Amino acid sequence: MSTQLISSIRVGIAGVGTVGTSVVNILRDKFSTFEQQFGVQIAISRVVVRNIDAVRNCDLTDVVVGAELMELSTAEDVDVVIELIGGVEESLALVRESLRNGKAVVTANKALLALHGDELFSLSKEKGVPLLFEAAVGGGIPIIKVMRESLAGNTIHCVAGIINGTCNYLLTRMANEGAKYQEVLADAQKLGYAEADPTFDVEGIDAAHKLALLTRLAFQQSIDFSKITHFGLADIITDDFSIVKKMGYVIKPMSIAKQSSKGIEIYVFPALVSQATLLSHVNDVTNVVQVFADRLSSINCVGPGAGGDATASAVVADLVEIVHAIHNDSLSSVYTPQLDERKQQAQMVDFEETEHAYYLRFQMEDKPGMMKQCASILERFDISIEVLNQNEPKDGENTVSVALITNNVRERILQQAFHEIKKLSGCCSENSSLIRVFQI
Ligand code: HSE
């Protein structure tokens, strides 16, 4: 594309739901500012929607509104495709064909890139057209740009954070109100934070998709999504929030990827986070990404991880980068995540071989010798108790809650010890907890 020929850059948007509506509104607000800044107009030429007749809170005057998704990939009046339909199969077809046809693509679709990133990023490189995805991780937090540009002088050894707002909301309310999981989940659904089917969020799948992208950027390696271990929230028991609080912790939905001597460790789980850290104060639907790097120790990026305007803000940032590049005749130089040629496929450490400190809680009969039996099982597995908390029995009950935090132990070993303790006569096996402790 030559600068002299360009008077406007034409955008086609797939999906005008919450995020798409905000994208249209932001662009309408900023059309003249962008024109002044870049000397080129941004025009929305087409949108594709499922229901053409639906009422929308945005102005689609002079925009072709259609229902044929794949038209965006071939339309002559579309230079940049913005993919906001979600899902994987249809979006894959759209993004693939758009790139093949030389159209730049902006997407918010983490599942698509976690599962098909290898193919799509290499297609983007081969065709010399960008595939940008700031909105796919952390909503409005500009973490992708920070990792790809601002930390270029660093070697990253860990990226960790709270990257699912729904889970953070649920755990924050359970902690603050002593509410039960099912109650707060129902509220989150009413408020529109959680989907009617909340599986992707509460089982850690959404966070694992985002973590796959962050890990790819951090270590320039391709991540086999199926090997990411993710645990959900359903097993978290309300009683644990007050117990861990006394021990100096809160429970947060953590996503962690780190380089260890054995390879890359990558997992999503609810974890104890020290009250002394910034992470412990990131509440409700807010997200945080913490990057640990050799030259600057660590940085934290905090902000709204979801919502129409926040996510649209990231989409528009990507679009502006593309517009700027087109205007400077340098589209092929826009960033594409590259894989390290020497180690393209990440060596991922089997979760059973990873090491953590663990919070364990057992409800035990209040009788002499219970604690001794528990401690001797831990000793047999060479597990040390670092912190111990025992509550007095509640009135009229003959059981006590025994909570402890272990030293660093291999997952496989810890699970064996945990199961042996649960089998002790006098231990209520159905009322016990195992939560990993977040530490770098
Ligand atoms: N459902 C996600 C969250 C936002 O709760 O963080 C979109 O990925």
Side-chain angles (χ1 to χ4, degrees), residues 115-137:
L115 298 173
H116 298 284
D118 283 352
E119 176 197 338
L120 296 175
F121 289 128
S122 76
L123 188 56
S124 144
K125 188 178 173 202
E126 179 195 323
K127 294 290 177 183
V129 283
L131 166 59
L132 297 184
F133 54 98
E134 186 65 76
V137 183

Side-chain angles (χ1 to χ4, degrees), residues 372-407:
K372 185 176 168 208
Q373 290 181 67
C374 173
S376 69
I377 292 174
L378 292 173
E379 185 189 6
R380 190 148 42 79
F381 284 95
D382 202 22
I383 298 169
S384 175
I385 298 172
E386 305 285 308
V387 185
L388 184 62
N389 176 290
Q390 180 177 324
N391 286 349
E392 284 177 53
K394 288 182 193 155
D395 283 347
E397 289 183 10
N398 73 334
T399 61
V400 288
S401 146
V402 174
L404 56 93
I405 294 177
T406 70
N407 65 330

Side-chain angles (χ1 to χ4, degrees), residues 122-286:
S122 76
L123 188 56
S124 144
K125 188 178 173 202
E126 179 195 323
K127 294 290 177 183
V129 283
L131 166 59
L132 297 184
F133 54 98
E134 186 65 76
V137 183
I141 305 173
I143 184 63
I144 303 298
K145 194 136 185 153
V146 166
M147 288 181 71
R148 58 181 243 219
E149 290 180 0
S150 316
L151 298 181
N154 287 262
T155 299
I156 295 171
H157 51 89
C158 176
V159 54
I162 298 168
I163 50 178
N164 185 274
T166 304
C167 288
N168 200 23
Y169 172 83
L170 297 175
L171 293 183
T172 303
R173 284 207 45 204
M174 289 173 81
N176 291 349
E177 299 164 28
K180 294 217 171 1
Y181 174 71
Q182 290 300 344
E183 288 166 18
V184 286
L185 178 58
D187 281 353
Q189 285 169 318
K190 272 189 228 139
L191 289 166
Y193 295 148
E195 309 277 337
D197 175 359
T199 310
F200 262 52
D201 288 320
V202 300
E203 293 193 357
I205 302 165
D206 171 80
H209 285 145
K210 295 166 181 168
L211 187 60
L213 290 176
L214 293 176
T215 312
R216 185 185 187 103
L217 284 183
F219 306 126
Q220 290 100 47
Q221 292 179 60
S222 167
I223 303 301
D224 179 349
F225 179 76
S226 66
K227 292 197 183 144
I228 299 179
T229 299
H230 53 87
F231 293 95
L233 303 186
D235 293 338
I236 300 287
I237 295 172
T238 309
D239 288 350
D240 287 316
F241 289 91
S242 55
I243 299 172
V244 305
K245 189 174 175 188
K246 283 190 216 150
M247 296 165 120
Y249 292 92
V250 293
I251 304 172
K252 288 289 174 193
M254 293 303 300
S255 298
I256 303 156
K258 63 180 171 189
Q259 186 85 61
S260 76
S261 55
K262 297 179 231 160
I264 293 178
E265 299 187 10
I266 171 164
Y267 25 76
V268 174
F269 48 51
L272 261 62
V273 171
S274 163
Q275 286 168 9
T277 62
L278 179 142
L279 286 183
S280 72
H281 300 285
V282 175
N283 289 322
D284 298 315
V285 290
T286 306

Side-chain angles (χ1 to χ4, degrees), residues 349-361:
V349 182
D350 185 348
F351 187 69
E352 293 224 303
E353 301 307 318
T354 61
E355 284 187 13
H356 312 270
Y358 294 80
Y359 162 86
L360 305 179
R361 185 189 52 77

